[in-house]
Amino acid sequence: MNAQLGLDTFGDVTVGDDGERLSDAQTIRDIVDQAVLADQVGLSFFGVGEHHRHEFAVSSPELVLAAAAARTENIHLGTAVTVLSSDDPVRVYERFATLDALSSGRAEVILGRGSFIESFPLFGYDLSDYEVLFEEKLDLFSQLLTEKPVTWQGATRSALNAADVYPKTENGIRAWVGVGGSPESVVRTAKYGYGLMLAIIGGSAERFRPYVDLYHRSLASFGHTDPMPVGVHSPGHIADTDADAWEELYPAMAANRDAIGAERGWPPYNRLQFQHDIGPEGAVYAGSPETVARKIAATVKTLGATRFDLKYANGTMSHGKLMHSIELYGTKVAPLVSEMLAAS
């Protein structure tokens, strides 16, 4: 077996070598440079998440990805995720079809409901409609992906009557749904025939195996006969040694977790929790290339995943450290993972 390796970032606003917070603008420019390096070292995918809060600089991923498309050649470019519930499916299709043209067919979209909810009041949506918004918009987007005239009616936007949407793509757009562990979300993803991207940010990968099995059973029950991809998104960081990676990652991750946790009622993050997270039962893939490769290979085998996306930006870690992590991921981790999977 084999699996593609990709990268994800939420556009975490970083600090410079002097420890001072960079501007949002510099963070965005650095993300494009990170995508360029990811392409140069042979990685398969680069994803940029959508957020609308001060910790993250990217609210319009497609624009960042378009800049990356102009400077890259092979790597696929997509989101991690697009918050479809608070967007318009027609506009999402149009933006990604445009990105697909600019990248010569390398655009992907990962759709999600959004674990952060700032976009809902910002764009005038009621959180009480959280479920119906995603269900209806996912249904409409699936029809738009056929690139044929669409007639559609729902409760959350105006109806469409034989509406044709442009630009047309040359070979279609690969679309996924990001799922955090809800069986209902897994079944819905299978119903519409999207790829399944599992966001594993806590606990062991093994506990997600029932969701993969449910996805495959559901695909069959809905009459989807073509093989569909299963991906994993998890946080991590790579350095020359385990100790270096852990010491670089912990302060940034702890600050990020505590800032968000204060809003959500989480207890403060600590070294003991971190040690669990970077261990075999945790969801953080941090360490030397060998350590990270072993953990990725084990996850891919356990879940039968076709792609693993490392969320390489976690808090305010500097651009230089992120670039070194990306370089090691492509030049050291990827070949090791391939060898380990080939030997299994």
Side-chain angles (χ1 to χ4, degrees):
M1 67 181 303
N2 205 347
Q4 297 178 330
L5 295 191
L7 290 166
D8 289 336
T9 177
F10 291 171
D12 305 56
V13 178
T14 55
V15 297
D17 293 335
D18 58 2
E20 293 297 316
R21 177 187 170 103
L22 298 180
S23 67
D24 291 352
Q26 185 59 53
T27 297
I28 290 171
R29 291 191 289 268
D30 287 344
I31 291 168
V32 176
D33 288 341
Q34 291 156 18
V36 171
L37 178 59
D39 184 51
Q40 292 171 346
V41 297
L43 294 168
S44 297
F45 176 78
F46 190 85
V48 181
E50 172 197 349
H51 291 83
H52 305 270
R53 49 185 295 136
H54 74 278
E55 293 97 343
F56 308 114
V58 179
S59 57
S60 182
E62 300 90 345
L63 285 176
V64 179
L65 294 167
R71 295 179 55 195
T72 56
E73 295 180 0
N74 299 306
I75 196 166
H76 280 224
L77 303 165
T79 45
V81 300
T82 291
V83 185
L84 185 64
S85 303
S86 57
D87 210 329
D88 183 82
V90 173
R91 296 293 290 149
V92 172
Y93 167 81
E94 291 174 340
R95 296 196 302 264
F96 275 91
T98 302
L99 175 63
D100 199 64
L102 293 171
S103 64
S104 299
R106 293 183 283 134
E108 298 187 17
V109 58
I110 303 177
L111 306 167
R113 292 182 295 179
S115 61
F116 292 90
I117 59 173
E118 288 81 9
S119 62
F120 288 80
L122 189 63
F123 299 124
Y125 291 97
D126 192 333
L127 275 172
S128 65
D129 296 328
Y130 188 80
E131 290 293 336
V132 67
L133 280 166
F134 190 64
E135 178 71 41
E136 286 198 353
K137 293 186 177 188
L138 194 66
D139 176 60
L140 174 54
F141 192 75
S142 68
Q143 295 186 46
L144 293 166
L145 285 176
T146 67
E147 304 196 9
K148 298 175 182 177
V150 171
T151 297
W152 180 92
Q153 185 171 356
T156 58
R157 76 174 312 280
S158 57
L160 297 176
N161 183 22
D164 217 353
V165 182
Y166 304 94
K168 304 299 184 184
T169 68
E170 293 171 325
N171 295 294
I173 300 170
R174 172 178 280 191
W176 308 66
V177 172
V179 174
S182 159
E184 293 81 9
S185 295
V186 172
V187 173
R188 177 167 50 207
T189 301
K191 173 184 176 182
Y192 292 109
Y194 291 98
L196 178 69
M197 181 60 66
L198 293 167
I200 304 178
I201 58 175
S204 69
E206 186 176 8
R207 69 188 181 92
F208 283 78
R209 182 68 216 195
Y211 296 113
V212 176
D213 294 338
L214 174 63
Y215 175 63
H216 290 308
R217 292 197 305 271
S218 298
L219 283 170
S221 71
F222 289 118
H224 299 292
T225 57
D226 293 334
M228 298 299 296
V230 173
V232 174
H233 155 105
S234 288
H237 178 64
I238 307 155
D240 296 318
T241 68
D242 287 345
D244 287 345
W246 300 339
E247 288 307 307
E248 290 172 2
L249 178 60
Y250 176 74
M253 178 170 280
N256 181 262
R257 292 279 188 95
D258 287 347
I260 296 169
E263 301 174 5
R264 301 188 177 188
W266 300 345
Y269 199 61
N270 56 54
R271 286 276 183 180
L272 186 62
Q273 180 63 47
F274 181 70
Q275 288 301 316
H276 172 270
D277 290 343
I278 62 176
E281 298 301 314
V284 177
Y285 294 69
S288 68
E290 294 78 10
T291 295
V292 173
R294 283 194 298 270
K295 193 169 181 177
I296 291 175
T299 293
V300 168
K301 286 188 284 188
T302 296
L303 299 180
T306 53
R307 194 169 84 201
F308 181 93
D309 290 343
L310 182 77
K311 182 181 177 292
Y312 71 95
N314 302 278
T316 57
M317 193 178 300
S318 72
H319 174 58
K321 289 185 174 64
L322 296 177
M323 291 288 273
H324 189 52
S325 181
I326 292 169
E327 181 182 11
L328 291 174
Y329 189 53
T331 62
K332 299 288 183 66
V333 174
L336 284 170
V337 171
S338 293
E339 290 176 12
M340 293 172 185
L341 293 176
S344 62

